[in-house]
Amino acid sequence: MTQQPETAGRPDTAAPAAEVPPARTPAGGSTVADLDLGPALEAVLMVADEPVAVDRLARLLERPAARVAGALAGLAAEYAAQGRGFDLREVAGGWRFYTRPEYADAVERFVLDGQTARLTQAALETLAVVAYRQPVSRSRVSAVRGVNCDGVIRTLLQRGLIEEAGSEPETGAILYGTTQYFLERMGLRSLDELPGLAPFLPEAEAVEAESPEGMPSFAPDDSDGSQTAGA
């Protein structure tokens, strides 16, 4: 009778101790507080996509805020003295790396070469169809372009320019739409700022004159019905 409470009590006291070390000990075996402050700050800020506040850095690296602020100022002065291609700046309540203005031409050439040049004509056409007809399925995109677009759709998904946007209730086909990254790359605040297509389309009268069935539709069901009716 007296042994049962002792046996039951031992796992309760051992469990918390077993959970603590993995949460605090990095791969190298030391804690974050043991890391050199300067390199640790550089590593964190290198992957930050927005300015990081001193208080947050101090909490993450387990150091006093005053010490972190001093280390940041020291790094910024060091980079400036060495004439590096980047600066460490305090902006918008935090710290972040920025390229120096005198190297803007080199950065611009790299960005343009790495982004716009790699989008093929097929990718641009497919992206335009998704942007103007979203949400839209792969089959509809293929119908508009007249070729299979599966490979191009995968490329645009990998590039983060489009994303899944639900599915069609009737067929279950996956629908696609553009992403926030697409708006950023295009310099748009919303899809409402996409340029209108009207100036690039033929007049309705001209289209109707060429086709007695009126304006064409790219919906698979409609196109099949039109061919049947015409037959």
Side-chain angles (χ1 to χ4, degrees):
M1 296 295 292
T2 57
Q3 294 179 352
Q4 291 180 354
E6 294 177 359
T7 304
R10 288 172 184 171
D12 293 340
T13 56
E19 296 175 357
V20 173
R24 287 182 53 86
T25 304
S30 60
T31 64
V32 173
D34 295 329
L35 299 174
D36 290 339
L37 181 56
L41 288 170
E42 290 176 326
V44 172
L45 294 175
M46 191 66 68
V47 298
D49 56 1
E50 61 183 12
V52 185
V54 170
D55 290 343
R56 183 182 180 191
L57 291 170
R59 175 173 54 82
L60 292 173
L61 301 179
E62 302 179 4
R63 314 294 170 90
R67 184 180 175 190
V68 171
L72 290 168
L75 288 173
E78 179 182 342
Y79 300 146
Q82 294 175 350
R84 307 293 290 271
F86 58 88
D87 288 326
L88 180 58
R89 305 178 195 168
E90 184 177 12
V91 294
W95 290 78
R96 184 184 181 187
F97 284 118
Y98 290 88
T99 56
R100 295 175 62 182
E102 51 264 46
Y103 299 104
D105 290 342
V107 174
E108 180 181 10
R109 176 171 293 188
F110 170 77
V111 171
L112 293 178
D113 178 72
Q115 298 296 330
T116 50
R118 292 180 187 173
L119 276 183
T120 64
Q121 184 65 28
L124 290 172
E125 292 176 2
T126 301
L127 183 59
V129 174
V130 175
Y132 281 96
R133 296 183 63 100
Q134 61 184 302
V136 62
S137 64
R138 292 191 188 202
S139 61
R140 294 227 171 178
V141 175
S142 298
V144 172
R145 295 196 59 236
V147 294
N148 186 289
C149 298
D150 289 355
V152 181
I153 290 289
R154 284 194 295 269
T155 298
L156 295 175
L157 285 168
Q158 293 172 353
R159 296 289 296 273
L161 294 168
I162 65 173
E163 62 185 354
E164 294 185 4
S167 60
E168 286 185 339
E170 300 84 2
T171 65
I174 298 175
L175 300 175
Y176 298 93
T178 53
T179 63
Q180 182 66 30
Y181 179 64
F182 165 81
L183 295 178
E184 294 175 3
R185 296 301 305 169
M186 295 296 293
L188 305 174
R189 288 175 294 182
S190 69
L191 293 174
D192 295 335
E193 294 186 352
L194 283 171
L197 289 177
F200 306 99
L201 298 176
E203 296 294 335
E205 293 78 3
V207 176
E208 291 175 355
E210 296 177 1
S211 174
E213 298 170 356
M215 296 292 289
S217 171
F218 294 108
D221 293 339
D222 294 342
S223 60
D224 294 341
S226 298
Q227 292 174 359
T228 303

